[in-house]
Each structure stands twice: as structure tokens, then as C-alpha cells.
Amino acid sequence: RERWRGGTAGHIVTGSVRPLNGRSVTDSRGASDREAVAGLGSLARLHAMLGQVNRCIARVETCDALWTGVCRGAVEQGGFSVAWGGLLGEAARTVTAVASHGASLGELPSTPFSVAPHGHDAMARAVSGGRAVVTTDPADQVRLLPRRQPIESAAVRAVVRAVAVVPFRCRGHVVGVLTVGSADTSLVEGPGPLGLLDLLGDDVSHSLDALEL
């Protein structure tokens, strides 16, 4: 006999349900449980990162020290593979890297990153919208990661599968960004991680106001 359980038609066999598509309910629940545990671990790391960054904010006296501390906190406490921070240039059309930490994907470039006005890439959307933006597009990730020489997409994918760009404001205007990359997409995907990254942006923005960037 058949019974609908959890939206799936299954045969009742010795008290367990075997869905008609051949995948057991136990397997489905196990996968969901693992995803839930991974998500909780990611949120815990992001909270640890926020705590570290706020301790850094409480003691730094210069913007350079703030950028360095934020990048280090993102990698060492947040669990990101790589992090770099940059300042926006005139008319928000360029971003000049000022600090980085994490995976060795190349040195910080001496030339600024370009920001396309009204562009659709993660950097442009974060700068124009003032909130954290995530991308899983390999081409976008290669462009956003710090490097002096071009990096092959395969090399990036070995350590990064998702990139988030977090804007920082001073006196209400976006003046810089933090770009973080991770092989663990749960660190940046979903409302929970994005909300914490936005909170990071707000905390650093208040610090920049105090430091009068």
C-alpha cells in the first residue's frame, strides 16, 4: 500500500518509508542534518570573527591597523581562505587594495581594481547598494581575488568556491570594501551569514567614522 509522507509517495516496508524515487527518507534526513550542522558551525565562526574584529576596533588608532585586523579576523576566526580590504577612489570607480590575509593567491596588485558604474558584478553591486553581496561565479571570483599576475580559475577553485564583498561606509558614504573568499559556501550563503557580514560592515563603518578616514 502507499501513503503520502512528507510530500513523497512511499511504500511502507517494516515500519520504514522507501520513496518511489529510490532514495531513502533516512538518507534525506541525514543530508539535511549534516547541512544544518555545517550551517551552525559557519554561524559560530562568523560570530567569532565579529568578536575578534570588535576587539580590534576597540584598540586600533589608525585605519591601516583596522584594515589589517579585519582581514586577519576574517581568516583566523571566520574561517575564510582569503581576505583583502581596499579603499574606493574618486567617484567610486576604482578600489585600491591596502591589506590582505590568508591563502597565497598572489601579492596585492599595485594597480587599482576597476569598478564598473551600474555594473552587475559583486563589487559594483556592493558599492552601489551598500550591502554585502555574494558571488559563486568563477570568473567574478578570479577578478575579485588579490593577485599581481592572472590566476587560472582551477587554482582559485581549489581554495575558493564563493566570494563575498562587504562595503564599509564613512559619514554615510561607501569608502571601502572587504572581499572574503571561502571553499565553504555556507560561510556566505543564506540570510544568516549575509546578515552577519552586513553587521561586520556596520561595525567597521562606525569605527571609520571615529577614526575620521
Side-chain angles (χ1 to χ4, degrees):
R1 58 194 178 93
E2 294 184 355
R3 180 181 301 169
W4 287 99
R5 182 174 298 186
T8 303
H11 296 292
I12 306 300
V13 180
T14 63
S16 65
V17 177
R18 181 178 299 164
L20 298 180
N21 60 10
R23 186 180 182 186
S24 72
V25 170
T26 301
D27 289 344
S28 299
R29 289 176 178 171
S32 297
D33 289 344
R34 286 191 295 273
E35 291 174 0
V37 170
L40 289 174
S42 297
L43 291 177
R45 290 195 296 274
L46 291 173
H47 278 290
M49 175 190 69
L50 281 173
Q52 176 63 25
V53 168
N54 277 297
R55 286 190 290 273
C56 173
I57 287 172
R59 64 175 182 268
V60 298
E61 297 180 353
T62 66
C63 289
D64 286 345
L66 176 62
W67 285 112
T68 299
V70 170
C71 290
R72 181 178 294 116
V75 173
E76 296 181 358
Q77 274 70 43
F80 290 99
S81 304
V82 61
W84 69 272
L87 292 173
L88 264 68
E90 187 176 355
R93 291 177 181 266
T94 61
V95 175
T96 301
V98 295
S100 68
H101 197 72
S104 179
L105 293 177
E107 299 177 10
L108 286 173
S110 56
T111 56
F113 288 75
S114 62
V115 181
H118 312 295
H120 299 290
D121 60 278
M123 181 75 75
R125 287 186 289 135
V127 170
S128 63
R131 310 309 292 178
V133 174
V134 172
T135 179
T136 55
D137 178 2
D140 206 8
Q141 292 169 11
V142 170
R143 195 183 76 82
L144 288 171
L145 292 173
R147 79 274 188 216
R148 189 176 297 278
Q149 299 296 330
I151 301 173
E152 293 297 329
S153 181
V156 172
R157 298 294 282 177
V159 293
V160 172
R161 292 190 176 277
V163 170
V165 182
V166 184
F168 298 152
R169 297 175 300 281
C170 184
R171 303 292 185 262
H173 301 285
V174 175
V175 296
V177 295
L178 172 71
T179 302
V180 290
S182 175
D184 180 2
T185 59
S186 68
L187 274 173
V188 295
E189 292 184 328
L194 271 177
L196 291 174
L197 290 173
D198 278 332
L199 183 57
L200 170 68
D202 291 341
D203 290 346
V204 174
S205 296
H206 290 315
S207 180
L208 291 174
D209 284 340
L211 291 170
E212 297 184 352
L213 177 67

